Amino acid sequence: MAVKKPKRKSMVVILYGKGGVGKTTVSSHLAACYAAEGRKVLLLGCDPKTDTSTRFLAGLRPPTMLDMVEGKLSRRFEALLTRTPSGVDVMETGGPEPGVGCGGRGVATLCQFLEEHPREFASYDVAIFDVLGDLVCGGFVAPLRFGRGNCVFVVSSEEPASLFAANNIARMTCRPYNDAASVGGIIFNLRRNDAPRGHLTAFARRLGVGVIGAVERDRVIMEAEERGLTALAHAPRSKAAHGFGVLAHAVERVCRSKRSAKATPMTNDEFWAFVRSHRIASL
Ligand SMILES: Nc1ncnc2c1ncn2[C@@H]1O[C@H](COP(=O)(O)OP(=O)(O)OP(=O)(O)O)[C@@H](O)[C@H]1O
Ligand SMILES: [Mg+2]
């Protein structure tokens, strides 16, 4: 008689970081890596730009949470879900017209929708939230509700403004109402491959979190994006595709080992003192 393999506990990966730092690039590549290993993956775009799914949809516009709120879709789980040929299932919040409504509300509404469908959500091996990093309202932290026992990862470049946002995100995870949230670590997505890296290790240590990996700036990632693909689909043997595979395993190791920790963030004054002492602005 065939022995049924025990199902691995599912993991919820929540990515935050400063605007433009590479959250969507990292989250869509992590999703592609897990799907390539045969995992059931749900990628959740929490950004009015609705661009989390573009590398999987060949230019098609997926249905969004906003469509559902406007009554254009039923509230069935499948109505909001788009299955893609890569094996990654996607959902997008979409977003209101500029200057109208609130992006964070869209994120909170998506999370509420997932809670209405616990069985379907739990059927995924991996769920990845790609969340706007501008933590301007409580809605942006709604995905932390799914983070119990799972992890927040911060995406940051080596630049001061990006590190500032990373410190702010660590502060957000320490607020009393987010006591379930822990930080799995920082994923550095470098602007310059020749940038000094010593201060990045020092920064992570100061925050009390680990460095999960560093993604290098790579033309292949941009070429893939231009074709509406991930680097895995565009150039499977590339250094970029390999690098994301290594990163995906590192993220999973942290999620499964529960090595995530309560961060020890800095105050704003401490942060700028850190920047000065490491001469980060002039690196
Ligand atoms: N490692 C990299 N190498 C080359 N290009 C990259 C890399 N990381 C990101 N990019 C490019 O930088 C741009 C911004 O990346 P991305 O959209 O992932 O950032 P984001 O943090 O999701 O932005 P936003 O906050 O606006 O959602 C994209 O065009 C992407 O292709
Ligand atoms: Mg993005």
Side-chain angles (χ1 to χ4, degrees), residues 18-25 27 46-47 49-52 55 130-133:
K18 183 184 172 297
V21 80
K23 299 174 295 293
T24 299
T25 304
S27 50
C46 300
D47 184 331
K49 283 200 295 306
T50 317
D51 66 339
T52 301
R55 288 176 177 84
D130 172 21
V131 194
L132 271 177

Side-chain angles (χ1 to χ4, degrees), residues 168-271:
N168 257 355
I169 292 157
R171 283 167 73 176
M172 173 272 287
T173 65
C174 289
R175 297 197 68 80
Y177 53 81
N178 289 333
D179 66 340
S182 55
V183 180
I186 304 185
I187 297 168
F188 284 110
N189 187 34
L190 300 169
R191 290 258 168 219
R192 282 177 33 219
N193 293 344
D194 64 350
R197 302 188 189 186
H199 71 282
L200 302 182
T201 321
F203 176 75
R205 203 178 306 124
R206 176 63 185 76
L207 250 55
V209 303
V211 177
I212 306 303
V215 180
E216 300 217 321
R217 196 122 290 248
D218 193 321
R219 280 194 66 78
V220 169
I221 295 173
M222 290 184 239
E223 287 163 8
E225 190 185 20
E226 271 165 28
R227 291 183 61 202
L229 296 172
T230 63
L232 276 76
H234 168 63
R237 292 172 178 283
S238 62
K239 192 176 164 202
H242 174 74
F244 280 117
V246 172
L247 184 70
H249 285 147
V251 165
E252 178 160 16
R253 263 198 308 279
V254 172
C255 287
R256 300 220 180 275
S257 70
K258 305 276 178 288
R259 266 197 289 123
S260 56
K262 270 287 165 211
T264 53
M266 296 172 254
T267 63
N268 284 348
D269 286 346
E270 286 168 344
F271 174 81

Side-chain angles (χ1 to χ4, degrees), residues 19-216:
V21 80
K23 299 174 295 293
T24 299
T25 304
V26 171
S27 50
S28 52
H29 281 87
L30 290 180
C33 291
Y34 295 129
E37 290 181 349
R39 249 65 90 62
K40 197 174 171 207
V41 182
L42 179 60
L43 178 62
L44 297 135
C46 300
D47 184 331
K49 283 200 295 306
T50 317
D51 66 339
T52 301
S53 51
T54 48
R55 288 176 177 84
F56 301 104
L57 283 177
L60 293 177
R61 183 190 172 281
T64 67
M65 194 69 231
L66 189 71
D67 295 333
M68 191 173 276
V69 168
E70 289 176 347
K72 296 176 190 157
L73 301 173
S74 79
R75 284 194 78 83
R76 283 184 313 112
F77 191 78
E78 291 285 328
L80 193 58
L81 192 72
T82 307
R83 299 188 194 279
T84 74
S86 66
V88 175
D89 290 354
V90 297
M91 279 188 186
E92 295 271 7
T93 58
E97 285 294 307
V100 183
C102 165
R105 178 123 187 258
V107 184
T109 310
L110 176 68
C111 291
Q112 192 186 336
F113 173 77
L114 296 172
E115 284 172 335
E116 286 169 21
H117 299 279
R119 200 171 46 83
E120 288 88 342
F121 185 57
S123 74
Y124 284 91
D125 301 315
V126 189
I128 302 176
F129 286 89
D130 172 21
V131 194
L132 271 177
D134 308 288
L135 305 164
V136 287
C137 80
F140 291 105
V141 300
L144 297 183
R145 300 213 288 265
F146 303 102
R148 195 172 289 280
N150 295 292
C151 292
V152 169
F153 292 88
V154 183
V155 183
S156 179
S157 77
E158 68 279 18
E159 295 166 336
S162 183
L163 297 172
F164 182 87
N167 184 56
N168 257 355
I169 292 157
R171 283 167 73 176
M172 173 272 287
T173 65
C174 289
R175 297 197 68 80
Y177 53 81
N178 289 333
D179 66 340
S182 55
V183 180
I186 304 185
I187 297 168
F188 284 110
N189 187 34
L190 300 169
R191 290 258 168 219
R192 282 177 33 219
N193 293 344
D194 64 350
R197 302 188 189 186
H199 71 282
L200 302 182
T201 321
F203 176 75
R205 203 178 306 124
R206 176 63 185 76
L207 250 55
V209 303
V211 177
I212 306 303
V215 180
E216 300 217 321

